[in-house]
Amino acid sequence: MEKTAVRCPSCHTGLSVRKTSESQSLTCPRCRFQGTITQFPEIEMKKLMCPKCKVILFMDPQYKGTIVCPKCQHAGDASAYPAAPLHPPVAASQRPPAEDDSVATDMPVNLSNKRLSRPGILVRTGGDVPAEPRMIILKKGVHTLGRGPQSSIQIDTADEFMSRVHARIELVVKGDDTFEHLLSDAGSRNGTYHNGDRIGKNETVVLCLNDLVRIGHTTYQFILE
């Protein structure tokens, strides 16, 4: 089932959802506005280009905050990211990505058939307020992410929608020496989102290259080192 991008009519937050029917119920994760999906107007994502590495990003056209390129880590105001040309030149650096390359899109490209030969990292790609660290390096074992000291990976942020202990990622080394990253919610107040879908209670999701993880109002992209 394909996803569509819509906007909350109350707080104007952009959302990525799976549309099943015209009577489908939808709740905005930011302001909690509830209504049928027909009350959420569809939007067309804006195609931008990183001014440093020329990677293409797809963003909400009304987003005015800071954008961090998930490939080169260049950070700048959204207004500093130019619109992507209709037919950009194909340079060697822009050929189809190998296993260790990232595809910077706000509508993620899920490479689920890729076996991961080393641990992954989370790179911050957006949010309402600044958040550090911009890059989270994952290691073998269980990690908890949140803005409180109780989390094994504490994120220094003013994002009040992020719980003190928000999400959990377990890195498992399998018998064939490949790595598997298991994402789950840690009982957070506002939920953990994987590619726009809220992770259910006691649900575990396997992270794939370029997946997006949102905790609170802060979004990370999963790539390899």
Side-chain angles (χ1 to χ4, degrees):
M1 189 177 300
E2 294 186 0
K3 289 188 177 183
T4 184
V6 298
R7 190 182 306 286
C8 173
S10 176
C11 68
H12 308 294
T13 296
L15 309 169
S16 175
V17 299
R18 286 191 175 93
K19 187 175 181 180
T20 57
S21 69
E22 296 296 323
S23 60
Q24 176 183 345
S25 178
L26 191 60
T27 301
C28 175
R30 182 175 184 181
C31 71
R32 312 309 298 174
F33 174 85
Q34 292 182 323
T36 62
I37 196 168
T38 55
Q39 295 177 274
F40 288 71
E42 292 191 15
I43 58 176
E44 184 175 349
M45 304 302 283
K46 187 176 181 181
K47 192 175 182 181
L48 303 178
M49 176 181 287
C50 173
K52 185 175 181 181
C53 71
K54 311 305 180 185
V55 142
I56 304 300
L57 304 94
F58 291 86
M59 299 296 297
D60 182 336
Q62 288 193 10
Y63 180 72
K64 305 297 183 183
T66 299
I67 298 177
V68 179
C69 176
K71 185 166 187 179
C72 71
Q73 306 307 303
H74 173 75
D77 189 82
S79 61
Y81 279 69
L86 293 178
H87 302 288
V90 181
S93 61
Q94 294 177 296
R95 291 171 185 166
E99 181 183 89
D100 58 348
D101 288 330
S102 63
V103 179
T105 64
D106 198 50
M107 304 294 284
V109 178
N110 188 306
L111 303 179
S112 57
N113 60 336
K114 292 283 187 179
R115 292 188 176 184
L116 305 184
S117 58
R118 55 187 182 276
I121 61 176
L122 294 175
V123 179
R124 183 169 61 83
T125 60
D128 293 341
V129 295
E132 296 293 345
R134 289 179 178 167
M135 180 183 295
I136 298 174
I137 300 175
L138 300 172
K139 299 180 180 180
K140 182 179 177 181
V142 179
H143 310 270
T144 52
L145 285 67
R147 60 187 179 92
Q150 304 93 326
S151 295
S152 59
I153 300 177
Q154 183 179 3
I155 300 172
D156 184 10
T157 178
D159 185 351
E160 296 182 354
F161 289 83
M162 185 187 301
S163 296
R164 296 182 182 279
V165 180
H166 197 110
R168 182 181 296 104
I169 295 180
E170 181 178 4
L171 197 165
V172 178
V173 181
K174 304 180 72 176
D176 57 358
D177 292 328
T178 59
F179 292 81
E180 192 171 65
H181 302 72
L182 307 176
L183 171 68
S184 59
D185 184 68
S188 67
R189 180 181 61 184
N190 295 302
T192 300
Y193 289 78
H194 171 253
N195 291 341
D197 295 327
R198 183 166 182 163
I199 298 176
K201 185 179 180 180
N202 300 322
E203 180 183 4
T204 300
V205 175
V206 178
L207 288 177
C208 301
L209 287 180
N210 304 315
D211 280 357
L212 296 182
V213 176
R214 178 161 61 85
I215 54 178
H217 285 176
T218 305
T219 302
Y220 291 88
Q221 187 170 32
F222 178 72
I223 62 175
L224 291 185
E225 292 185 84

